[in-house]
Amino acid sequence: MPDPIDDLSRFILISVLLAWPLGGAAYLILKRRWERAYDGENESSPEQTIRELEREFSPCRRTIIRTQTEYLPFLVECIREQIDGGLEDMQMFSLLERIEIHRPGEERRAVFHVAAGGRRSDLHLKWRRDAWDRIELHVQGSPEIIRALRRFKRRIPEAAPV
């Protein structure tokens, strides 16, 4: 009569000997499948790559505006006229409030994700306030927004040093 312990030990030995090759084969198959899915099976054409880069990395320009804080709502409204979406009313009020309440001598920043001219881009704002309530605002964004701000900048009085 067969001993149950011998049968169990044989079963465990055969299971271990079969598990290693089966596990290794499964690992290699899954690894190849994952690499193909990660790398992509088809290569994109140069035109597709260029379109993707243009869509994701829009050109940007910079300008500096020096003015009193009383002209900032008009400046933000000029920005909102140029964008298709992204700077909502609550964000605009929050930005103006942040500029109004921060202490002189500190530099603050804000970034808004906007769509201008059919393209998504980031609008970077950096400002510094001095003791005489003047603001130096650095704006970096899409060329459409910066062109409009430069036209607007000619119409507002520049903050003159005291």
Side-chain angles (χ1 to χ4, degrees), residues 40-54:
E41 293 181 9
N42 56 351
E43 292 292 323
S44 60
S45 68
E47 293 83 18
Q48 289 174 332
T49 305
I50 289 173
R51 272 183 287 172
E52 184 177 332
L53 287 172
E54 285 176 349

Side-chain angles (χ1 to χ4, degrees), residues 62 87 91 94-100 102-103 105-113 122-129 135-140:
R62 296 178 183 185
L87 188 59
Q91 290 176 323
S94 174
L95 173 67
L96 291 173
E97 184 179 334
R98 282 181 63 193
I99 293 174
E100 288 288 329
H102 99 270
R103 294 181 295 233
E106 293 180 353
E107 183 176 288
R108 298 284 172 102
R109 298 169 187 249
V111 177
F112 296 98
H113 304 290
D122 290 337
L123 178 66
H124 296 267
L125 302 172
K126 179 173 68 170
W127 65 91
R128 179 183 298 272
R129 171 185 235 154
I135 299 290
E136 180 178 320
L137 180 68
H138 297 256
V139 183
Q140 177 181 341

